[in-house]
Amino acid sequence: MTTLAILTAAGSGTRLGFDLPKALVPLRGLPLVLHAARRLTASGVVDALVVTAPNGLVSVMSDVLEHDPHVSVPVVVVAGGTTRQSSVAAGLTRARADVDTVVVHDAARPLAPAAMIRRVVETVKAGHQAVIPGLPVMDTVKILAPRGPAEDGRPVLPAGVDRVAATPARTLLRAVQTPQAFDRALLVRAHSAGAARARTEATAATDDASLVEALGEDVFVVEGDELAMKVTTARDFYYIEKLLTEDGR
């Protein structure tokens, strides 16, 4: 029985400010996707890798990954979809029959440590079918009331003003990261059931655990890692570059 990692790398990365797809932006001389792929394979718990590439860049992404001596597992690069959810679904179709566990990871989190990758995979292997890493939330979080016509005597709110509906306890909140790991059959079922959502960014799931939750199945959280932060803006990029320097790699 084997573990497949699907590495999503098809995003445009517009907010990052580079004239390149995000996954190909160089971080200390290496594309983000290569940093992420190296860490997945260095974990020792991934047996094969499927990478989703931006439209028209499959061969470019293949050249980056297939000739790197530090990516020590078989790699297949496929064209990604219009949303992250559809890209993961495309990657799932390339899973061999002997794959029992699927890891889904974002190239936008290039520094996810090997120990965290092992943690999510080993927890799935121990019998928990859907496992995600998460960090405690430091800020107070407010839940907003839906915007709509005036009710209960309240006036209609002007643009830019919202009403607080509730304040959840921070102890019950986690900021979720990737990689996320799943029993292969469960993840396939979740994507099949949620396929209609994948068509647009507005409706697509932002992570695979959400699709599993929609089935009514349990999702379990293990400890995340600050090094697994997501690169979205230029500020994130420069911060993660500093983290990489401090990490000594």
Side-chain angles (χ1 to χ4, degrees), residues 38-47 72-73 114 117-118 121-122:
R38 284 183 174 187
R39 281 165 171 74
L40 284 168
T41 58
S43 70
V45 293
V46 170
D47 303 298
S72 55
V73 300
I117 298 166
R118 288 193 291 269
V121 172
E122 289 166 359

Side-chain angles (χ1 to χ4, degrees), residues 19-249:
D19 191 23
L20 281 172
K22 184 191 296 187
L24 294 176
V25 170
L27 175 65
R28 291 189 64 186
L30 297 175
L32 293 182
V33 66
L34 188 53
H35 283 282
R38 284 183 174 187
R39 281 165 171 74
L40 284 168
T41 58
S43 70
V45 293
V46 170
D47 303 298
L49 182 61
V50 172
V51 182
T52 65
N55 187 37
L57 293 176
V58 169
S59 61
V60 172
M61 199 77 77
S62 296
D63 287 342
V64 167
L65 295 163
E66 292 175 359
H67 301 112
D68 186 81
H70 299 286
V71 179
S72 55
V73 300
V75 179
V76 174
V77 180
V78 300
T82 56
T83 64
R84 182 189 183 279
Q85 182 182 336
S86 59
S87 291
V88 175
L92 271 176
T93 66
R94 303 303 294 267
R96 300 193 312 258
D98 62 341
V99 169
D100 68 325
T101 303
V102 178
V103 176
V104 183
H105 188 39
D106 298 326
R109 298 181 188 271
L111 303 188
M116 189 180 86
I117 298 166
R118 288 193 291 269
R119 190 153 57 242
V120 295
V121 172
E122 289 166 359
T123 306
V124 170
K125 300 286 189 184
H128 300 82
Q129 293 190 316
V131 179
I132 61 178
L135 293 174
V137 174
M138 297 295 105
D139 295 324
T140 297
V141 175
K142 303 291 185 181
I143 298 173
L144 301 182
R147 293 186 67 88
E151 57 182 22
D152 299 328
R154 294 189 178 99
V156 176
L157 294 173
V161 178
D162 289 282
R163 182 168 58 83
V164 171
T167 304
R170 285 188 302 186
T171 55
L172 300 178
L173 299 175
R174 292 296 181 270
V176 174
Q177 302 173 305
T178 70
Q180 301 181 355
F182 305 89
D183 171 81
R184 184 256 188 92
L186 174 60
L187 187 59
V188 168
R189 184 159 60 93
H191 270 271
S192 178
R197 295 177 53 184
R199 295 170 188 158
T200 69
E201 288 287 353
T203 60
T206 55
D207 77 343
D208 297 272
S210 300
L211 297 173
V212 173
E213 292 168 46
L215 293 178
E217 300 286 352
D218 288 334
V219 175
F220 300 90
V221 182
V222 296
E223 183 182 1
D225 195 294
E226 290 185 356
L227 280 174
M229 69 169 287
K230 185 178 181 181
V231 178
T232 301
T233 66
R235 181 178 180 180
D236 299 331
F237 181 82
Y238 293 121
Y239 179 65
I240 210 163
E241 195 169 39
K242 181 180 179 183
L243 287 178
L244 184 59
T245 302
E246 292 175 351
D247 193 35
R249 292 184 237 170

